[in-house]
Amino acid sequence: MANTELIYSEEFSPHTRDVLLGKVSSQMSAKRFTHVLRVEEMALELCELYQGNPEKVSIAALTHDYAKERPDDEMIQVIKDSHLSDELISYGNAIWHGVAGAELVRDELGITDEDILDAIRCHTTGAKEMSLLAKIIYVADYVERGRDFPVVAEARKIALSNLDEAVAFETKQTLLYLVKQEALIYPKTLETYNHWVVK
């Protein structure tokens, strides 16, 4: 199914796809928006393979980076106003834009479906328990066809044959990258690793 053929039912979003596209694109650079469209395309491909709900997949993919380019001070305020853990503040926008971004998607876009919001929350960290939708968005964001890094071709191949294995592969590669960078590792990423990767 081509993305443009998708007609939203209003069950999961108060907006049509075109209106949602406008609202999302107004919050980010053209480069980021192009990435979002590629994630939607990849997510819908995975959705068809693994029998997901195309409408929910499309909405979650289009909104997953809604808060990615918001100023840090605004995001910290969202964390405080939403009574999210103060610990989040130490991890920066790479983590905030998913966890706090879901709050903005709900409050500003009127999208209240918990499955969609949860997919946004964990699209960079994964989670111990992930719905089919959450797995699709997590993997699609990693393997969308504009991505170019050493293991992406392998990751893409796995994604198209076994979604759970793709979650495990991505999580392991992300952790290896963070360790190599000597970066702070968000606890949920370790939880994801322990659940999906450790044999």
Side-chain angles (χ1 to χ4, degrees):
M1 176 190 296
N3 308 5
T4 50
E5 290 171 16
L6 262 179
I7 306 292
Y8 290 176
S9 65
E10 294 183 20
E11 185 182 349
F12 306 112
S13 167
H15 311 293
T16 63
R17 182 174 175 275
D18 283 347
V19 169
L20 189 61
L21 284 171
K23 287 179 178 293
V24 169
S25 66
S26 72
Q27 296 299 317
M28 59 188 65
S29 62
K31 184 180 178 185
R32 172 66 44 190
F33 185 58
T34 304
H35 157 73
V36 163
L37 292 176
R38 287 195 305 259
V39 172
E40 184 197 26
E41 186 179 2
M42 189 77 227
L44 286 169
E45 196 174 325
L46 296 175
C47 175
E48 195 170 337
L49 265 177
Y50 300 110
Q51 280 94 56
N53 178 314
E55 185 178 348
K56 285 171 77 165
V57 164
S58 171
I59 293 165
L62 292 178
T63 56
H64 81 281
D65 271 354
Y66 182 69
K68 179 78 173 176
E69 295 180 353
R70 295 286 180 101
D72 286 2
D73 56 350
E74 182 185 344
M75 294 302 283
I76 290 168
Q77 197 58 52
V78 171
I79 290 166
K80 290 177 176 174
D81 292 347
S82 304
H83 307 292
L84 299 171
S85 169
D86 284 344
E87 181 194 19
L88 258 179
I89 294 168
S90 311
Y91 291 91
N93 187 267
I95 303 298
W96 301 341
H97 84 275
V99 183
E103 304 296 316
L104 290 171
V105 166
R106 187 186 59 224
D107 296 346
E108 295 180 4
L109 299 177
I111 292 164
T112 58
D113 181 85
E114 269 307 310
D115 195 19
I116 291 172
L117 296 176
D118 200 51
I120 296 167
R121 280 185 200 107
C122 69
H123 81 268
T124 60
T125 62
K128 190 173 167 181
E129 291 179 11
M130 297 170 76
S131 67
L132 174 62
L133 177 63
K135 288 187 276 191
I136 286 172
I137 301 303
Y138 182 65
V139 171
D141 186 33
Y142 191 70
V143 303
E144 59 93 341
R145 289 193 163 78
R147 296 286 198 199
D148 183 21
F149 52 88
V151 296
V152 74
E154 188 180 354
R156 215 171 271 137
K157 189 176 174 187
I158 297 167
L160 296 170
S161 63
N162 187 311
L163 193 60
D164 286 359
E165 281 182 23
V167 168
F169 182 84
E170 172 183 344
T171 303
K172 181 179 176 182
Q173 296 304 321
T174 299
L175 207 54
L176 285 168
Y177 173 80
L178 292 170
V179 168
K180 198 172 176 183
Q181 300 294 312
E182 297 184 359
L184 199 58
I185 295 168
Y186 189 55
K188 195 161 222 157
T189 305
L190 291 171
E191 273 181 32
T192 308
Y193 175 85
N194 288 339
H195 183 79
W196 292 92
V197 181
V198 175
K199 300 289 185 254

